[in-house]
Amino acid sequence: LGAVRFDDYKNEVAYNSFIRDYPADWNGNTIIFKTAAPADYLKLSYIPKDAAGRAIGLAIPALQRPRDGAGNRLAQYADDRFRDDYSPPPIKGTKTTYSAGSVYHLRSWVSVYANYAQTYNLPGVQPTLTGNTLPPTVAEGIDAGIRFNLLNQRLHLSLNRYFSKEDNQTISAPANTGGAINSIINANAIGDFSASGLNIRGLQPLPAVFIDRRQGKANGYEFEAVANLSKAWRLSANYAIARAFATNSGEITAAYIDKNLPTLRQIVLDAGSLIDAAGVATIDTSVPVDQRSPDVNSAASGWNSLLARRAGIVSGTTVSQNTTSANFFTDYALQEGRLKGLRLGVGARFMAHFNRSERH
């Protein structure tokens, strides 16, 4: 047996607008969605401005609209467009997957089989922290086994062994990492009291929400038995052992942090913090209060949080989940009377999970 599958896909979402952007006469019930992304969505940029609308820097990517502490839009950017004003553009593409397998009947009562198959998952519209979307993930699986049909087809036994892998699985970004990074990137330097200021090191804010990836593998065994004890009475049982592995979870975020950590550290210092030998950031009290950056507290807190988050992203770590399950069912079909054909059954299920992490 063999097959080739051709798919065209389109993944599209619509986000509801930020509540602060709803009109004053909103009825309180209707959901207002963001408009579709324009053709130049990925090229949008803006020039930072002070409260009077004067340019205070060079053009930078327009990822998030600047807002005040209450979440209101800053007036000096009324004519600028930002990515978070829109729903993301749809993701379109094509994908070809394959499968092939064979069954060989050694005898009338015993067969062996093997199969290779691919499948894919649609790519998400959410970007990684670099602003790029991930491609569709293709999973590959191999399974093989043996089947027995015994006692004149009254007893069926099968034993299956399988392996699968999926590269670039889409996952949520490491918790709170983006917030910690942006609290540093958005920190004004000492003496800058503007509401929409940025760091002076050229590092740009990350998307408000972003995703990451990991590599996945799985393997396991499955055993199944079905016995037709009589025309009316049937027994079935199965036992399975499954092992799932995930490696390098959060690798895109980890690579970004490692590359930009020296710059992020300098931004924290620019904001008026001190970082000791242990890497802990505190406010530099030698800087007069009236000169301190309005973001010094969030920058120091973001730095301390970021180091803790980065320590939790360990490259080369394999997180495995071992699952053992067993099922037993029996049913009986009434053979006579008004309820003839009614099947009654009862069953039991057992399942156990065991998680483990290993560093390589």
Side-chain angles (χ1 to χ4, degrees), residues 180-190 192 194 196-201 203 205 264 266-273 293-300:
I181 296 174
N182 275 338
S183 66
I184 299 173
I185 292 176
N186 291 319
N188 295 6
I190 293 174
D192 181 0
S194 61
S196 60
L198 268 179
N199 68 85
I200 59 174
R201 302 294 168 175
L203 210 55
L264 292 168
Q266 189 59 56
I267 294 171
V268 175
L269 297 176
D270 292 339
S273 295
S293 164
D295 305 310
V296 62
N297 288 296
S298 59

Side-chain angles (χ1 to χ4, degrees), residues 125-179:
V125 296
Q126 289 183 333
T128 65
L129 53 68
T130 62
N132 300 316
T133 55
L134 294 176
T137 60
V138 174
E140 299 178 331
I142 297 175
D143 63 282
I146 186 168
R147 295 181 180 135
F148 298 92
N149 298 307
L150 308 173
L151 303 177
N152 293 321
Q153 303 293 321
R154 296 175 64 181
L155 177 62
H156 305 276
L157 304 174
S158 67
L159 177 64
N160 183 61
R161 178 77 163 121
Y162 68 87
F163 301 87
S164 67
K165 69 174 184 177
E166 183 179 9
D167 293 334
N168 300 320
Q169 286 182 344
T170 299
I171 59 170
S172 298
N176 301 321
T177 305

Side-chain angles (χ1 to χ4, degrees), residues 134-328:
L134 294 176
T137 60
V138 174
E140 299 178 331
I142 297 175
D143 63 282
I146 186 168
R147 295 181 180 135
F148 298 92
N149 298 307
L150 308 173
L151 303 177
N152 293 321
Q153 303 293 321
R154 296 175 64 181
L155 177 62
H156 305 276
L157 304 174
S158 67
L159 177 64
N160 183 61
R161 178 77 163 121
Y162 68 87
F163 301 87
S164 67
K165 69 174 184 177
E166 183 179 9
D167 293 334
N168 300 320
Q169 286 182 344
T170 299
I171 59 170
S172 298
N176 301 321
T177 305
I181 296 174
N182 275 338
S183 66
I184 299 173
I185 292 176
N186 291 319
N188 295 6
I190 293 174
D192 181 0
F193 304 103
S194 61
S196 60
L198 268 179
N199 68 85
I200 59 174
R201 302 294 168 175
L203 210 55
Q204 303 305 312
L206 304 181
V209 179
F210 56 87
I211 57 175
D212 212 305
R213 68 186 178 196
R214 69 182 181 186
Q215 318 307 318
K217 292 183 178 181
N219 67 77
Y221 300 87
E222 297 174 340
F223 172 76
E224 185 173 46
V226 179
N228 297 299
L229 301 179
S230 69
K231 182 179 179 181
W233 187 18
R234 179 176 61 184
L235 293 174
S236 65
N238 63 61
Y239 180 79
I241 298 175
R243 302 182 179 91
F245 306 89
T247 60
N248 295 330
S249 182
E251 60 183 359
I252 298 176
T253 302
Y256 176 90
I257 295 173
D258 293 345
K259 177 182 177 181
N260 294 288
L261 196 62
T263 303
L264 292 168
R265 185 180 188 277
Q266 189 59 56
I267 294 171
V268 175
L269 297 176
D270 292 339
S273 295
L274 298 173
I275 300 177
D276 62 21
V280 177
T282 56
I283 297 175
D284 185 357
T285 56
S286 67
V287 178
V289 175
D290 60 353
Q291 296 181 23
R292 293 177 188 172
S293 164
D295 305 310
V296 62
N297 288 296
S298 59
S301 176
W303 172 263
N304 295 331
S305 176
L306 179 61
L307 292 190
R309 300 298 174 188
R310 178 61 184 91
I313 309 173
V314 184
S315 299
T317 294
T318 298
V319 179
S320 62
Q321 182 182 73
N322 298 335
T323 302
T324 300
S325 63
N327 300 280
F328 177 81

